[in-house]
Amino acid sequence: MTRLPDAKLYIDGQLRDAAGGRSYDVISPWTGEPVGKAADGTAADVEAAIAAARRAFDTTDWSTNTAKRVELVKKLRELFEQNRDRLADLAVHEAGAAQGAVFRAHVNMALDGWDDYIAVFPKVEWEKDYGTKPAFGFNHKRIAVREPVGVVAAITPWNVPLYVNIGKVVAALLAGCTVILKPAPNTPGMGAIFGELADKAGFPAGVLNVVFGSDPAEAGEILTGDPRVDLVSFTGSTGVGKRIMERGAATLKRVFLELGGKSVKIVLDDDPNFAMSVATTILVFHAGQGCAVQSRLLVPRSRYEEAKAILKQAYAGFGDNWGDASNPEHIMGPVISKKQMERVLGYIELGKQEGATLLHGGRARPDKGGGFFVEPTVFVDVSNDMRIAQEEIFGPVLVVIPFEDDDDAVRIANESQYGLSGGVNSGDPERAQRIARRIRTGSVSVNNGMCIAGDIPFGGYKASGIGREWGVEGIEEYTEIKMLAWPTGQAA
Ligand code: NAD
């Protein structure tokens, strides 16, 4: 049986157990059995991490010594490279990633994103010249300087933990901030490895701290309420995002939120690859647990029956080729937890009650193992006002909605509280682009264009978030702008 290394906290340069010495079991989504142990951090640990990060920001040269920062961030990146296999193990056994998914979204895309951050870092505009302007008889020279925002609390989810941890930690460190990383209770090891390798790389004490525990909310509640934390960078559910914003208000904390989604894929009637575009929407990769997955498929009413037949065949073709942790071909495993499985199954029941037709799947699959397996599932005859079309299920459940024309497709796409991502497929790229520009989301893929990568910004409109991660914009989120001005002589 696989056994992951114990996940330890990293506070003020020390790898340690929780204050009081408690630990908790990390549960494998594949078996439902313990697969490792993690320190069960307490309020005292979180306090110590905040104090250390504050001290490191206020009293060391971390925020001003750019060359040292870049060198250490690169060194840390090398150590992650040397630990690819361990990262893969963590993705499989903590996050439930199938082998065929591990070296895509979970490890490769994450480490590539790290490289992208390093590549775009020189583009950060640390100073901007605003020229001279006369006032009160004198000319005044003005420049803007960009400075790190300070102490950052990075609170992250379990679904693609390495990718999200890198998205926040690397950007904040490059910007010159000090960081407290708080991974989800299910994936502590993917956080702990940052502490372990930062220690090895020789990071100054307090610059990067890692805390976690079995209670999902305790550490986050402390971090969001503490005046010594300058910015909370959060990826997770919209409900918790709202709570963070509310709690951050007391100290007027900057909040940067990457939240949920219910993204569309619109396949237009003129798509020459109609069958392929519809078939490839089957929601199976990582059991549908991705924030930007296209979980609402919109097809023309005139081709709805055809789309149904294509999907029936595509799901049948995918068949039972999922759910085996040792199979390198599998791209779908379990969902993360019993709670998540019950939530997904609850939505499947709801879909039936709402009058949608179950075209494929719909059941739990205990025969796959003791873990949390839900079949690939697709509902047709769905209308956009159903809860299964409006709420984020975060599981392998696709809903298929008919539209009348381009305006109707845009209306349906935008009639959502979310605004994260989406896609449009058409034989006419200009028509597709026109539609893409009308969809109120942070990214849209046109004819399968890759709109998510480490060198371009990613984020949401509406209830999908505030701010942008990745790219130069993702580094600049962790900065403040300060104006400096001085008189240069009498105005003419
Ligand atoms: P979650 O909101 O339950 O938890 C996310 C993190 O917040 C965890 O670390 C959790 O311990 C912490 N947390 C819980 N309560 C808190 C509180 N009161 N104060 C502060 N922190 C608290 O989300 P999850 O179930 O771990 O992840 C799934 C969600 O994440 C989905 O909604 C998904 O769409 C979203 N997500 C979004 C993106 C994106 O970039 N937009 C990326 C990945 C996941």
Side-chain angles (χ1 to χ4, degrees):
M1 201 179 79
T2 306
R3 185 85 203 162
L4 296 169
D6 289 356
K8 289 202 185 286
L9 310 181
Y10 185 58
I11 300 170
D12 206 6
Q14 303 290 318
L15 286 165
R16 29 176 272 207
D17 294 326
R22 278 195 321 167
S23 63
Y24 69 99
D25 285 334
V26 180
I27 302 298
S28 161
W30 297 91
T31 61
E33 299 290 329
V35 74
K37 275 213 178 303
D40 199 355
T42 63
D45 296 314
V46 183
E47 289 286 333
I50 297 171
R54 189 73 256 171
R55 184 195 46 70
F57 187 80
D58 292 339
T59 67
T60 74
D61 68 348
W62 181 257
S63 65
T64 51
N65 193 337
T66 310
K68 175 173 162 183
R69 290 205 305 271
V70 173
E71 189 194 315
L72 277 169
V73 166
K74 285 183 176 167
K75 199 161 172 192
L76 188 59
R77 168 69 181 88
E78 270 169 41
L79 292 172
F80 269 75
E81 186 62 38
Q82 291 164 23
N83 280 274
R84 266 183 193 264
D85 289 345
R86 175 152 161 220
L87 295 169
D89 265 358
L90 285 164
V92 172
H93 298 290
E94 278 193 351
Q99 296 286 350
V102 162
F103 285 105
R104 284 157 70 177
H106 287 273
V107 177
N108 291 15
M109 193 170 159
L111 294 179
D112 287 353
W114 191 319
D115 296 337
D116 283 328
Y117 266 148
I118 291 171
V120 299
F121 181 65
K123 294 189 191 151
V124 175
E125 202 172 26
W126 292 104
E127 270 194 33
K128 186 170 173 184
D129 190 340
Y130 280 84
T132 301
K133 191 176 168 76
F136 309 115
F138 285 88
N139 285 325
H140 298 261
K141 169 81 180 167
R142 294 91 40 85
I143 62 163
V145 291
R146 214 177 252 289
E147 296 179 345
V149 71
V151 173
V152 169
I155 303 178
T156 60
W158 44 259
N159 63 324
V160 275
L162 181 62
Y163 186 72
V164 182
N165 291 347
I166 289 175
K168 299 190 184 312
V169 170
V170 175
L173 290 176
L174 284 172
C177 297
T178 58
V179 179
I180 303 143
L181 170 63
K182 208 299 283 174
N186 313 66
T187 50
M190 207 57 113
I193 194 166
F194 279 78
E196 221 181 291
L197 299 183
D199 194 53
K200 226 181 202 170
F203 268 66
V207 163
L208 175 59
N209 307 273
V210 187
V211 292
F212 42 79
S214 57
D215 184 318
E218 188 188 19
E221 291 275 318
I222 297 170
L223 290 165
T224 49
D226 194 301
R228 291 168 296 177
V229 174
D230 296 294
L231 180 149
V232 176
S233 176
F234 170 76
T235 295
S237 58
T238 295
V240 175
K242 286 180 184 167
R243 168 73 185 150
I244 285 176
M245 205 165 170
E246 191 182 283
R247 209 169 144 67
T251 54
L252 278 179
K253 212 173 285 314
R254 275 183 57 183
V255 290
F256 166 23
L257 307 172
E258 297 281 0
L259 308 176
K262 192 80 182 179
S263 302
V264 293
K265 176 160 174 184
I266 301 173
V267 184
L268 296 174
D269 51 356
D270 66 354
D271 183 358
N273 308 308
F274 188 83
M276 179 67 92
S277 299
V278 168
T280 50
T281 314
I282 66 170
L283 189 49
V284 292
F285 190 83
H286 197 31
Q289 300 167 112
C291 54
V293 295
Q294 296 167 349
S295 52
R296 284 187 294 158
L297 172 61
L298 273 49
V299 292
R301 191 177 294 281
S302 58
R303 299 187 75 171
Y304 199 68
E305 290 308 313
E306 186 186 342
K308 276 190 202 175
I310 294 165
L311 283 168
K312 217 175 171 47
Q313 205 182 1
Y315 275 95
F318 188 72
D320 222 20
N321 299 314
W322 62 280
D324 176 354
S326 63
N327 191 321
E329 306 286 312
H330 284 191
I331 56 168
M332 170 167 166
V335 296
I336 186 77
S337 61
K338 184 161 186 282
K339 189 170 145 218
Q340 187 69 9
M341 180 172 76
E342 283 163 1
R343 186 184 134 90
V344 174
L345 292 171
Y347 272 108
I348 293 172
E349 273 318 300
L350 177 68
K352 293 181 202 162
Q353 285 163 21
E354 288 185 304
T357 308
L358 192 59
L359 189 73
H360 184 92
R363 294 171 306 163
R365 287 290 297 271
D367 57 304
K368 295 265 180 202
F372 316 116
F373 298 94
V374 181
E375 284 180 332
T377 298
V378 55
F379 278 108
V380 294
D381 306 324
V382 176
S383 64
N384 198 43
D385 56 358
M386 291 180 183
R387 281 182 57 200
I388 55 165
Q390 288 294 321
E391 297 177 19
E392 185 182 48
I393 298 175
F394 224 60
V397 184
L398 177 70
V399 302
V400 190
I401 304 168
F403 65 84
E404 306 301 336
D405 55 21
D406 293 8
D407 284 348
D408 197 39
V410 171
R411 177 189 64 78
I412 295 169
N414 288 338
E415 275 180 12
S416 168
Q417 63 160 325
Y418 293 113
L420 195 55
S421 193
V424 188
N425 287 55
S426 165
D428 176 352
E430 280 171 21
R431 180 182 175 201
Q433 266 212 37
R434 274 198 305 277
I435 291 179
R437 285 170 193 270
R438 293 172 65 195
I439 298 178
R440 292 186 39 79
T441 59
S443 56
V444 184
S445 162
V446 176
N447 284 339
N448 308 320
M450 189 62 194
C451 60
I452 299 175
D455 62 338
I456 52 177
F458 173 77
Y461 285 26
K462 303 192 277 183
S464 290
I466 299 173
R468 291 294 177 268
E469 199 143 68
W470 303 108
V472 181
E473 293 81 355
I475 300 172
E476 291 179 350
E477 284 287 346
Y478 296 95
T479 62
E480 290 277 16
I481 288 175
K482 177 187 283 173
M483 286 309 306
L484 298 177
W486 57 91
T488 56
Q490 283 201 323

